[in-house]
Amino acid sequence: MKKTSTLLLSLLLALSVLFSVPVSAQTLGLLPDTVRRPAAGVTETEYSTQTEDGKPVRYFVLDTAYGLPGSHLKIGVGLPNNGTSFGMQKLTEQLAAIRAGGTNVLAGVNGDFYNMVTGEPEGLFVKDGVPLHGWSAPNALPDSLGRIPYRTFFGIKSDGRAVIGGRTVYDSVKGCLQQAIGGAFMLVENGQPVKVRYPASVRSFVENRHPRTAVGIRRNGTVFFICVDGRRENYSNGISLYDLADLMRKFGAWTAMDLDGGGSTALCTLDRETGTLPLRNSPSGQKLGSATGGERKIANCVYVYE
């Protein structure tokens, strides 16, 4: 038994180095269900775990070498039909349009919260150095949905460095943003999960279990994403925003924020054998076993390419 435990620990330590993930209570004793490597420097890992009360949770970690010296990877943000106008289109279709334009897309996730009629994002959107949407919707109330005071952004600066922050950080870097997308709440700051007392208007959003998507930056500058499936009791129940913050920190985030979640949560990675970019997670509106059913039309995306 001791020899077996030693071998298991060695394997987990090796995995933690491979994925740039620190060994923690979350990863110890939890071997990945599926590991895919769409390209050098990009790894997608699928995990199954349980909530404290024994309910299943399935989540996906998209790890990248973006930010490391010599990395060939790039990160962009996209809109429907690879254009500059707001609208709604499935993630699989958005990524296909970007590929059709000649970009070698390796992976992508859903983006910011948005108006579900017009596709206008709630927050910042900068594509290829061109600001297409300001910090918040023009007519947003100060506490619209309780999120406006907590708006965040993820961006790529002109020097290639990734950044996550709130309005103060944005004001300090807005002149050099090449790519940027908005989010709702800070999850991790200075390596510590954010524990904010949110207004009652968003308590259920924060405390209840939902599908979630988040982006994080490690202290070494590398970027990773986590997508958590939810709202299906026998498959995956989702997690709270607090648990998402803990999960991002356990996978090494120095800073992190949440993107849109719920039925919008989606992840695609390149299948090297077929050359396609299939949906890897199972959105909350999708029947298990279905390849595309239930994938929601979303406003924008974040993608990794080379």
Side-chain angles (χ1 to χ4, degrees), residues 65-193:
Y66 184 91
L68 291 180
S71 173
H72 63 289
L73 300 176
K74 300 176 183 179
I75 292 178
V77 297
L79 291 168
N81 300 311
N82 195 25
T84 57
S85 299
F86 301 136
M88 292 178 290
Q89 190 177 46
K90 294 177 181 179
L91 176 64
T92 49
E93 296 169 346
Q94 289 190 31
L95 297 180
I98 296 168
R99 294 185 77 194
T103 300
N104 186 20
V105 179
L106 305 174
V109 301
N110 63 289
D112 192 9
F113 296 81
Y114 59 97
N115 183 309
M116 296 187 71
V117 175
T118 66
E120 179 185 3
E122 284 196 4
L124 185 67
F125 196 87
V126 179
K127 182 180 179 183
D128 300 328
V130 179
L132 298 178
H133 197 271
W135 184 253
S136 61
N139 298 321
L141 298 174
D143 290 315
S144 175
L145 299 178
R147 290 200 294 258
I148 297 303
Y150 303 97
R151 292 300 304 181
T152 55
F153 81 103
F154 165 76
I156 303 296
K157 299 191 295 183
S158 54
D159 63 4
R161 295 183 184 181
V163 59
I164 289 174
R167 184 60 187 259
T168 301
V169 174
Y170 166 66
D171 286 339
S172 70
V173 301
K174 61 184 178 182
C176 62
L177 287 175
Q178 292 301 300
Q179 314 288 337
I181 198 166
F185 298 104
M186 287 297 295
L187 299 175
V188 179
E189 289 184 296
N190 298 319
Q192 298 299 317

Side-chain angles (χ1 to χ4, degrees), residues 6 27 63 70 104 138 168 173 180 228 230 236 240 258 270 287:
T6 302
T27 54
D63 210 345
N104 186 20
T168 301
V173 301
V228 184
S236 183
S240 72
D258 72 314
L270 178 67
K287 294 181 180 179

Side-chain angles (χ1 to χ4, degrees), residues 121-270:
E122 284 196 4
L124 185 67
F125 196 87
V126 179
K127 182 180 179 183
D128 300 328
V130 179
L132 298 178
H133 197 271
W135 184 253
S136 61
N139 298 321
L141 298 174
D143 290 315
S144 175
L145 299 178
R147 290 200 294 258
I148 297 303
Y150 303 97
R151 292 300 304 181
T152 55
F153 81 103
F154 165 76
I156 303 296
K157 299 191 295 183
S158 54
D159 63 4
R161 295 183 184 181
V163 59
I164 289 174
R167 184 60 187 259
T168 301
V169 174
Y170 166 66
D171 286 339
S172 70
V173 301
K174 61 184 178 182
C176 62
L177 287 175
Q178 292 301 300
Q179 314 288 337
I181 198 166
F185 298 104
M186 287 297 295
L187 299 175
V188 179
E189 289 184 296
N190 298 319
Q192 298 299 317
V194 175
K195 298 295 186 183
V196 176
R197 290 188 176 182
Y198 300 106
S201 58
V202 291
R203 185 168 297 162
S204 63
F205 174 82
V206 171
E207 297 181 357
N208 292 356
R209 293 167 180 161
H210 297 287
R212 309 279 186 178
T213 303
V215 56
I217 305 171
R218 298 192 180 92
R219 201 165 190 177
N220 66 358
T222 55
V223 176
F224 71 102
F225 304 85
I226 290 183
C227 289
V228 184
D229 278 339
R231 296 180 180 165
R232 277 180 290 173
E233 187 173 2
N234 295 324
Y235 164 68
S236 183
N237 287 262
I239 59 177
S240 72
L241 207 65
Y242 294 124
D243 287 340
L244 180 63
D246 288 336
L247 189 63
M248 294 300 289
R249 174 62 192 95
K250 286 172 181 175
F251 276 88
W254 183 250
T255 59
M257 72 176 203
D258 72 314
L259 293 161
D260 192 9
S264 298
T265 288
L267 165 70
C268 294
T269 58
L270 178 67

